[in-house]
Amino acid sequence: MKKVIRKALTLLTVYYAYMVEYRAELILWVLSGSLPIILMGVWIKASQGGQFGLSSIDFARYFLTVFVVRQISVVWVIFEFEKEVVEGKLSPKLLQPLDPVWHHVASHLSERVARIPFALILISLFFFLYPQAFWLPNLVQLILFTLAVSLAFILRFVIQYTFAMFAFWTERANAIETFWFLFYLFLSGLIAPLEVFPQPVREIVLFTPFPYLIDFPASILVGLPVDLARGFWSLLGWIFIFLGANRWLWRAGLKRYSGMGA
């Protein structure tokens, strides 16, 4: 166990040092996730003349939380893995006594830590400009949110890493992610909270993994009505489904990998 912890700390330290070398790029990454802040203004304006069941304050808090969830759960593993396969850079990692996925996990976790200060600055600026939306979630909400957003990150990572396996068969595996992202954009709660969806549409969407990636954890922190048991079981269920598919595609893909470009 000590060896495992030491290896994990070494990986995280190395990738954290790598991430903080590019502070300007980190700032751009944080700002690139500010779409929820833009949509917040749209929905606040719409709530003043429509009947959505949510007040302007509710929309403000929801989209701020969506911004936070996006900062924690953003994933780019498919682009890195595809490049490694196409350029043959995966070959040396296959010789290491460590599954290559842990390099990507360490990279993502280190980047989360590195971007926290920039995200906190934006959140503080938001509350300074819009103090009416300030609220303090209770301890239970914070614990449940932390668990939900952690599982959402794992699910998002496993989904994209599963799509990345198709790089063994095609040089454009990221096209699958691009197509998937269209559904993610509209059904996850990024564009609009599921609370404003028509009831029949909402029931159908809840059978997909999308709402549990953003809407579920965001709703917990804001205090919107949510089925906790269904949400957490759905997160775990989809994680295991995609994890199983991932391991099968990994084994099948390695048989085709030729290490070209290495």
Side-chain angles (χ1 to χ4, degrees):
M1 181 60 70
K2 290 183 179 179
K3 290 183 178 179
V4 173
I5 295 176
R6 186 164 61 249
K7 290 179 181 178
L9 290 176
T10 300
L11 271 178
L12 290 171
T13 302
V14 170
Y15 279 104
Y16 177 77
Y18 174 75
M19 289 295 172
V20 295
E21 286 183 2
Y22 303 95
R23 294 181 180 87
E25 188 175 355
L26 270 175
I27 295 175
L28 292 177
W29 286 350
V30 173
L31 292 176
S32 68
S34 59
L35 175 61
I37 306 299
I38 299 172
L39 291 171
M40 176 197 305
V42 175
W43 280 103
I44 288 177
K45 186 67 175 178
S47 67
Q48 296 172 356
Q51 300 295 327
F52 296 105
L54 297 176
S55 66
S56 59
I57 299 298
D58 291 329
F59 278 116
R61 292 174 178 175
Y62 175 83
F63 281 105
L64 177 66
T65 308
V66 169
F67 170 76
V68 174
V69 173
R70 285 276 291 154
Q71 296 302 313
I72 296 173
S73 63
V74 63
V75 174
W76 63 87
V77 64
I78 191 169
F79 304 101
E80 290 185 343
F81 187 83
E82 181 184 75
K83 184 178 180 180
E84 290 177 353
V85 173
V86 173
E87 297 182 1
K89 295 180 180 180
L90 180 63
S91 300
K93 291 185 177 180
L94 293 175
L95 299 176
Q96 299 175 6
L98 183 72
D99 191 309
V101 68
W102 294 113
H103 288 277
H104 300 295
V105 171
S107 173
H108 281 68
L109 292 179
S110 300
E111 194 269 348
R112 290 308 99 97
V113 177
R115 74 161 61 200
I116 284 176
F118 305 111
L120 289 177
I121 290 173
L122 284 179
I123 293 171
S124 301
L125 179 62
F126 168 79
F127 284 132
F128 176 77
L129 297 174
Y130 196 30
Q132 305 96 311
F134 182 79
W135 89 106
L136 290 174
N138 59 49
L139 182 59
V140 175
Q141 286 176 310
L142 285 173
I143 294 174
L144 291 175
F145 170 77
T146 301
L147 179 58
V149 77
S150 299
L151 290 174
F153 164 69
I154 294 172
L155 176 57
R156 185 78 178 94
F157 184 91
V158 173
I159 289 173
Q160 196 175 107
Y161 193 53
T162 300
F163 293 155
M165 295 299 105
F166 288 97
F168 289 119
W169 288 271
T170 174
E171 296 181 4
R172 296 287 296 172
N174 65 75
I176 302 174
E177 167 64 18
T178 302
F179 179 72
W180 169 273
F181 187 76
L182 293 175
F183 293 94
Y184 169 81
L185 194 64
F186 290 100
L187 303 180
S188 65
L190 178 60
I191 297 295
L194 258 66
E195 190 67 22
V196 303
F197 281 33
Q199 184 64 29
V201 176
R202 192 187 315 165
E203 288 300 321
I204 295 174
V205 173
L206 287 173
F207 283 101
T208 72
F210 300 108
Y212 308 105
L213 296 170
I214 291 183
D215 184 86
F216 178 65
S219 296
I220 290 176
L221 192 64
V222 175
L224 297 178
V226 64
D227 189 335
L228 292 175
R230 179 175 184 172
F232 282 112
W233 279 116
S234 295
L235 277 167
L236 291 172
W238 283 112
I239 287 172
F240 283 114
I241 288 172
F242 278 98
L243 189 60
N246 178 276
R247 292 297 85 188
W248 182 81
L249 289 170
W250 169 257
R251 289 190 294 269
L254 284 180
K255 296 177 182 178
R256 294 179 53 88
Y257 178 61
S258 61
M260 60 178 180

